[in-house]
Amino acid sequence: GENVEQHPSTLSVQEGDSAVIKCTYSDSASNYFPWYKQELGKRPQLIIDIRSNVGEKKDQRIAVTLNKTAKHFSLHITETQPEDSAVYFCAASSEGGKLIFGQGTELSVKP
Amino acid sequence: DGGITQSPKYLFRKEGQNVTLSCEQNLNHDAMYWYRQDPGQGLRLIYYSQIVNDFQKGDIAEGYSVSREKKESFPLTVTSAQKNPTAFYLCASSIGAGKGEQYFGPGTRLTVT
């Protein structure tokens, strides 16, 4: 079945450094790729998304890149801050409008 | 936070009992979803509904059941057949299946002993 692999599972960076999280997907028909941030004990919230007709999208310190040929996409966070500490999930669309989620990356930003 | 609510926040049940988790949205969304979240495993889809009176199994539907009698409501029943029901359950909705952002509810943490 469809699958999304996410790496790394944990990531620790110093405040001000950049963080990169990578995902690969298996369904070549996937055309929507959202990223969610989940703070401890809270609901996941969308932080950025990209569609397959675009290769890159940026929103302030956050950017997402998509390589359809290789079937992978990445989240880039620049100038990280302690409040960026959370679990981040990537996802890829699948048939019937479902989302297939990656396993999550726990990002820790050390002051 | 998007107008999607889940109740209760914490739920405790004895093994062998069925339990129903509530999910309500006032966003006029057609599509609704139930996910299960376990540590280190991301979000796994249990059931989803694209429209009222219709729903489909997700990846881990065994031991669960749902109904979609009203557009705004999508309750999930965890039956006694679910082998490992203790988990964090998240409900979500979107304008339509495959259309736009999925908005999540606050979640229900179910503990079965």
Side-chain angles (χ1 to χ4, degrees):
Chain A
E2 302 94 341
N3 188 45
V4 174
E5 294 287 334
Q6 182 173 347
H7 298 282
S9 56
T10 60
L11 180 59
S12 182
V13 300
Q14 287 295 132
E15 183 176 359
D17 287 349
S18 295
V20 180
I21 303 170
K22 298 182 179 182
C23 289
T24 59
Y25 61 98
S26 60
D27 186 356
S28 56
S30 294
N31 58 11
Y32 175 61
F33 307 91
W35 286 87
Y36 285 82
K37 175 183 180 182
Q38 186 179 27
E39 297 178 359
L40 190 62
K42 297 191 176 180
R43 72 188 80 191
Q45 293 196 302
L46 182 75
I47 55 171
I48 194 166
D49 56 11
I50 192 168
R51 295 200 176 268
S52 58
N53 57 347
V54 176
E56 183 174 357
K57 185 176 179 181
K58 190 172 181 180
D59 183 4
Q60 298 182 341
R61 296 186 297 108
I62 294 173
V64 58
T65 58
L66 171 64
N67 184 328
K68 285 182 60 181
T69 303
K71 289 192 283 187
H72 67 69
F73 57 113
S74 301
L75 177 71
H76 305 253
I77 305 174
T78 58
E79 301 172 26
T80 53
Q81 301 166 3
E83 51 265 39
D84 293 329
S85 295
V87 179
Y88 292 80
F89 293 98
C90 64
S93 62
S94 186
E95 73 168 297
K98 299 182 298 183
L99 285 178
I100 307 298
F101 283 84
Q103 296 85 351
T105 295
E106 184 175 359
L107 174 64
S108 175
V109 180
K110 299 185 185 306
Chain B
D1 279 328
I4 180 167
T5 59
Q6 292 182 243
S7 61
K9 188 172 183 179
Y10 299 96
L11 191 53
F12 298 87
R13 281 292 183 270
K14 293 290 187 184
E15 193 173 324
Q17 293 179 334
N18 291 353
V19 58
T20 297
L21 282 58
S22 167
C23 178
E24 304 279 332
Q25 53 95 4
N26 62 3
L27 301 167
N28 200 34
H29 284 172
D30 282 321
M32 297 186 74
Y33 313 82
W34 273 106
Y35 294 93
R36 170 180 172 139
Q37 186 172 28
D38 295 285
Q41 294 196 44
L43 304 173
R44 293 184 290 167
L45 184 65
I46 305 172
Y47 269 97
Y48 66 107
S49 168
Q50 297 179 350
I51 200 165
V52 175
N53 292 322
D54 185 49
F55 49 83
Q56 288 81 38
K57 293 182 179 180
D59 300 319
I60 55 166
E62 185 175 351
Y64 299 97
S65 66
V66 294
S67 63
R68 185 85 188 277
E69 297 176 0
K70 297 187 295 183
K71 187 175 186 177
E72 57 271 22
S73 180
F74 191 40
L76 173 75
T77 296
V78 184
T79 75
S80 57
Q82 167 51 231
K83 296 285 189 284
N84 185 20
T86 294
F88 187 53
Y89 291 88
L90 284 160
C91 179
S93 70
S94 64
I95 292 174
K99 296 179 183 177
E101 176 183 354
Q102 286 191 17
Y103 292 85
F104 284 86
T108 292
R109 187 165 298 279
L110 173 65
T111 302
V112 177
T113 57

